[in-house]
């Protein structure tokens, strides 16, 4: 079953399809520039302790973004 | 005519720039290496044209000072070489489409072509060229493949007639038309890459890396001094200087300036204070070996791609200081020299972050020249000496960061960083980089060291240090418990910290006095080179704020240390 969750709640390595970015224009533009946008399948690799940054895999490239940003990315996963 | 190199961070613009112009610039495997533009020239159509290397930017809407510098260069460019990342065409096209709308002659270098091949990424270059209507050339900057073709096809650069409505839809279409990805297996490097950002494995790895770096720097630095530089000065240079001393009659003005004072009829390189004795020994024998060792290790860390991973690991901690993880990069560069450290604060997004980073670095991050001298001064006391000095500086660094984060309005943004793949450092690149930095030290620092030693002589001869000593006695002696003569070192510290630390040697200070004096010298004010850089970066108002913090902190820390350290 497909469910929608914030990216930070995804399991490490699980394929996640981005469905929505709940942020302002600035955030959306920056995320887009790194290849994070609606429809893309990305994976969360790790999260650091205490709401630290989240490391993502986007088509083989790695990117680290803050926990807050990652909470605003809503993804669809198959659970 | 001016040619501009534009591209996302860390795609190889600076390597291409060096290939085109022969001008060496620093290149490293992390986004944000270049924070200032550099100009060079190359031959094109039989004439000299200007080529500009700019910082990397993901789009034409800048999000940091470094990106602003890049975007500001576009206006004045006559031709743009868009350096794209062949391993990540999709992301690169974002900037490419922006540049197409600018309407200037454009040519695209598909760099990192070798890595794209390894990754199983195939790009149909012909088709991409046809689609965009500008020349596209695969390049591998590091080996130079494709650079000749890039140069020979500059003539074909033209404004693109490509038009689009929805940018991301267009990018998606282009990528699906020209790119094919075949899958392949994970390499050992990639497994290591993952382990070094997972907290359970990453934090131990970081501790090991930092500990090894520290040990290696000390081992190499001390080894070079003990085995090469000290013997050279003691056995070859000292006898020569003694001859010169005799020739000059053993005393007098010229003798004082060139040789300085003989101690028990001998030359003491740390104490004599002549231009040819202490003036040469400090930069070449005491400091240079450590500078070399530090930059060797730093270059390896930079080129491997470890630094952005370290930034991710320390992010949570750095947020307490009002910075995000990338704030560690100006600090590491600052350990080499505070000048590049100050410039590198440009990779941070907000003014608030840049102020905090610059202030805590200028105060609590001593440069390698100073560290080397402090190591020479208190190293023999082991952890009781070195540990106390650097431990105190670390506490100040953390404490001041926390304090500034509390009192300054606003919040610091979250980390947002592209993590490059690990790459084996190329020995040639590393060697070139060390040489550039050592050369910079020789050119920018050595004259100041000599000037410093010269001024010491003048100040002593004119009796100025003695007068200043009396004036400053209430603070220096009263609060800090240091002898009046320490004022001489504090005066010279405005010019060069290494010479200033050296001036403590002949004063015969006790360990606690050495510790207090070393800490005070590190924090009270930046050297003139750092000060001018900071004033430019921060603006006068913020610089004055920063200076006010330095002075207040010096009084508090000096007094506290004097109270706390055992007598
Ligand atoms: N394998 C490979 N590595 C490359 C190539 N071009 C550059 N590199 C490496 O990529 C890293 C980044 O190169 P730089 O020239 O510093 O990149 P830049 O675009 O100037 O980066 P910023 O100044 O941070 O924007 C360095 O470690 C280079 O050695 C290439 O074609 N192939
Ligand atoms: Mg560069």
């Amino acid at each position: 079953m497909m469910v929608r969750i914030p990216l930070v709640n995804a399991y490490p390595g699980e394929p996640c399809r981005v469905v929505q970015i709940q942020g302002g224009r600035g955030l959306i533009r920056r995320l887009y520039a790194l290849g994070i946008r609606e429809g893309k399948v990305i994976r969360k690799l790790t999260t650091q302790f205490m709401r630290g940054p989240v490391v993502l895999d986007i088509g083989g490239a790695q990117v680290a973004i803050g926990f807050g940003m990652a909470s605003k990315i809503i993804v669809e996963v198959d659970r | 005519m001016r040619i501009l190199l534009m591209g996302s961070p860390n795609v190889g613009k600076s390597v291409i720039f060096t290939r085109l112009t022969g001008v060496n610039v620093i290149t490293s495997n992390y986004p944000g290496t270049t924070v200032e533009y550099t100009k060079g020239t190359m031959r094109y159509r039989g004439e000299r044209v200007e080529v500009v290397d700019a910082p990397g930017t993901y789009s034409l809407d800048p999000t940091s000072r470094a990106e602003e510098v890049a975007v500001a260069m576009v206006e004045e460019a006559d031709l743009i070489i868009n350096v794209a990342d062949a391993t990540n065409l999709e992301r690169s096209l974002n900037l490419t489409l922006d540049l197409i709308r600018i309407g200037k002659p454009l040519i695209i270098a598909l760099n990192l072509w070798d890595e794209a091949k390894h990754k199983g990424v195939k790009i149909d270059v012909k088709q991409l060229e046809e689609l965009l209507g500008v020349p596209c050339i695969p390049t591998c900057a590091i080996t130079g493949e494709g650079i000749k073709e890039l140069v020979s096809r500059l003539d074909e650069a033209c404004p693109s007639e490509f038009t689009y409505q929805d940018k991301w839809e267009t990018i998606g279409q282009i990528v699906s038309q020209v790119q094919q990805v075949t899958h392949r297996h994970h390499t050992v490097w990639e497994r290591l890459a993952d382990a070094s950002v997972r907290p359970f494995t990453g934090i131990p790895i970081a501790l090991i890396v930092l500990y090894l770096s520290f040990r290696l720097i000390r081992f190499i630095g001390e080894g070079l001094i003990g085995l090469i530089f000290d013997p050279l000065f003691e056995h070859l240079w000292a006898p020569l200087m003694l001859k010169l001393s005799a020739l000059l009659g053993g005393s007098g003005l010229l003798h004082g300036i060139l040789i300085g004072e003989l101690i028990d009829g001998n030359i003491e390189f740390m104490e004599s204070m002549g231009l040819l004795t202490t003036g040469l020994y400090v930069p070449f024998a005491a400091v240079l070996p450590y500078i070399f060792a530090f930059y060797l290790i730093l270059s390896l860390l930079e080129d491997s791609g470890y630094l952005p991973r370290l930034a991710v690991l320390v992010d949570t901690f750095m947020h307490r200081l009002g910075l995000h993880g990338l704030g560690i990069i100006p600090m590491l560069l600052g350990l080499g020299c505070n000048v590049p450290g100050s410039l590198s604060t440009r990779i941070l997004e907000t003014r608030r972050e840049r102020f905090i980073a610059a202030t805590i670095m200028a105060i609590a991050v001593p440069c390698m020249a100073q560290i080397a001298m402090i190591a020479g001064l208190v190293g023999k006391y082991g952890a009781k000496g070195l540990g106390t000095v650097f431990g105190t500086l670390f506490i100040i660094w953390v404490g001041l960061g926390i304090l500034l984060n509390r009192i300054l309005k606003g919040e610091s943004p979250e980390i947002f960083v592209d993590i490059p793949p690990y790459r084996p450092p190329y020995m040639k690149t590393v060697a070139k980089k060390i040489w550039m930095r050592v050369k910079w030290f020789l050119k920018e620092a050595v004259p100041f060291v000599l000037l410093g030693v010269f001024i010491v002589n003048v100040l002593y001869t004119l009796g100025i240090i003695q007068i200043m000593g009396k004036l400053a006695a209430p603070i220096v002696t009263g609060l800090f418990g240091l002898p009046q003569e320490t004022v001489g070192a504090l005066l010279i510290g405005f010019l060069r910290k290494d010479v200033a630390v050296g001036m403590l040697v002949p004063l015969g200070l006790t360990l606690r006095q050495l510790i207090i004096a070393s800490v005070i010298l590190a924090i009270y004010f930046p050297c003139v080179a750092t000060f001018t850089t900071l004033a430019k970066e921060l603006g006068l108002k913020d610089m004055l704020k920063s200076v006010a913090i330095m002075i207040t902190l010096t009084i508090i820390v000096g007094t506290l240390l004097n109270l706390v350290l055992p007598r």
Side-chain angles (χ1 to χ4, degrees), chain A residues 29-34 37 40 45-50 52-53 55 60-69, chain B residues 58 61 63 88 90-91 94 119 168 194 197-200 203 312-313 315-316 349 414-419:
Chain A
R29 225 172 35 211
R30 289 187 83 183
L31 290 175
Y32 274 20
L34 283 190
R37 59 173 185 277
K40 281 292 285 237
L45 291 179
T46 69
T47 317
Q48 304 297 314
F49 298 129
M50 300 197 294
V55 180
Q62 290 188 5
V63 169
I65 61 175
F67 192 90
M69 290 185 202
Chain B
Y58 292 109
D61 303 300
T63 53
N88 202 332
E90 179 174 333
R91 190 195 289 171
N94 181 29
K119 274 183 88 173
W168 292 106
D194 289 354
V197 286
R198 290 211 168 90
F200 280 110
I203 291 170
V312 169
L313 289 172
D315 182 75
T316 311
E349 289 88 347
E414 291 188 289
I415 195 171
F416 189 88
V417 64
D418 184 21
I419 302 180

Side-chain angles (χ1 to χ4, degrees), chain B residues 14 26 33-34 53:
Chain B
S14 297
I26 300 272
T33 307
T34 308
D53 180 29

Side-chain angles (χ1 to χ4, degrees), chain B residues 78-278:
Chain B
D78 301 305
L79 188 161
I80 297 175
I81 301 179
N82 174 206
V83 183
D85 176 354
T87 67
N88 202 332
L89 187 62
E90 179 174 333
R91 190 195 289 171
S92 297
L93 283 172
N94 181 29
L95 180 64
T96 306
L97 292 196
D98 278 0
L99 290 173
I100 281 176
R101 283 222 166 137
I102 302 260
K104 298 209 173 183
L106 191 68
I107 181 168
I108 298 173
L110 291 162
N111 197 41
L112 295 157
W113 191 257
D114 53 325
E115 270 186 20
K117 259 197 274 179
H118 276 289
K119 274 183 88 173
V121 176
K122 269 208 198 103
I123 298 172
D124 185 339
V125 184
K126 270 261 127 7
Q127 202 180 359
L128 184 63
E129 256 178 19
E130 270 162 31
L131 264 173
L132 298 178
V134 295
C136 301
I137 296 108
T139 58
C140 172
I142 213 85
T143 59
E145 260 166 279
I147 302 292
K148 261 215 189 98
E149 193 189 345
L150 178 69
V151 174
S152 70
R153 293 187 65 189
L154 279 179
D155 263 338
E156 298 170 37
C158 55
S160 165
E161 271 151 30
F162 186 77
T163 53
Y164 57 91
Q165 294 296 320
D166 183 290
K167 195 181 189 185
W168 292 106
E169 209 179 283
T170 313
I171 290 177
Q173 283 164 2
I174 298 177
V175 171
S176 64
Q177 277 183 58
V178 305
Q179 180 182 281
Q180 264 186 350
V181 184
T182 42
H183 267 287
R184 31 106 255 172
H185 292 290
H186 274 241
T187 62
V188 186
W189 281 108
E190 280 162 335
R191 287 220 191 88
L192 182 68
D194 289 354
S196 58
V197 286
R198 290 211 168 90
F200 280 110
T201 41
I203 291 170
I205 291 177
L207 291 176
I208 293 171
V209 167
L210 292 178
Y211 177 76
L212 280 182
S213 303
F214 167 77
R215 289 309 302 237
L216 272 171
I217 291 169
R218 238 192 131 189
F219 176 77
I220 298 171
E222 282 190 345
L224 286 175
I225 294 176
L227 291 176
I228 301 178
F229 288 91
D230 259 353
L232 272 180
F233 269 84
E234 288 303 328
H235 301 308
L236 284 176
W237 196 240
L240 270 177
M241 287 302 104
L242 279 176
K243 280 205 188 107
L244 182 64
S245 162
L247 217 68
L248 290 170
S251 63
L253 188 63
L254 195 59
H255 185 277
I257 288 176
L258 292 182
I259 308 283
E261 257 176 83
L262 294 187
I263 314 241
D264 299 329
N266 259 320
I267 287 169
E268 286 294 337
F269 281 112
M270 283 298 244
E271 301 184 30
S272 290
M273 277 295 155
L275 285 182
L276 295 178
T277 53
T278 310

Side-chain angles (χ1 to χ4, degrees), chain B residues 7-16 26-35 53-57 111-115 139-143 302-303 423 426 429:
Chain B
S8 306
N10 208 42
V11 296
K13 297 176 295 300
S14 297
V15 181
I16 292 188
I26 300 272
T27 65
S28 322
N29 189 16
Y30 66 84
T33 307
T34 308
V35 291
D53 180 29
T57 181
N111 197 41
L112 295 157
W113 191 257
D114 53 325
E115 270 186 20
T139 58
C140 172
I142 213 85
T143 59
E302 284 178 336
D303 287 12
R423 298 187 169 125
Y426 294 87
T429 317

Side-chain angles (χ1 to χ4, degrees), chain B residues 291-424:
Chain B
I291 298 265
F292 170 81
F294 175 80
Y295 280 128
L296 171 65
I297 302 299
L298 180 70
S299 301
L300 291 177
L301 288 178
E302 284 178 336
D303 287 12
S304 65
Y306 186 65
L307 294 187
R309 295 175 168 90
L310 183 64
V312 169
L313 289 172
V314 298
D315 182 75
T316 311
F317 172 73
M318 297 296 281
H319 269 285
R320 309 229 179 271
L321 316 189
L323 301 172
H324 59 62
L326 282 184
I328 198 73
I329 288 177
M331 303 303 157
L332 287 176
L333 294 184
L335 278 175
C337 168
N338 276 197
V339 172
S342 314
L343 287 175
S344 146
T345 58
R346 290 184 181 184
I347 61 175
L348 301 171
E349 289 88 347
T350 63
R351 223 179 115 178
R352 178 181 193 267
E353 281 178 292
R354 288 194 291 271
F355 177 76
I356 297 179
T359 304
I360 64 177
M361 184 203 62
I363 292 178
V365 177
C367 68
M368 202 33 67
Q370 195 177 1
I371 295 173
M373 294 299 286
I374 294 178
L377 193 68
V378 297
K380 55 176 178 284
Y381 299 102
K384 241 170 82 190
L386 281 181
T388 318
V389 172
F390 294 113
T392 310
L393 289 176
F394 183 72
I395 293 171
I396 296 173
W397 184 72
V398 175
L400 185 61
I402 293 176
L403 189 74
L404 288 177
N405 188 31
R406 286 268 164 80
I407 55 181
L408 291 178
K409 265 203 302 275
E411 244 177 76
S412 290
E414 291 188 289
I415 195 171
F416 189 88
V417 64
D418 184 21
I419 302 180
Y422 276 117
R423 298 187 169 125

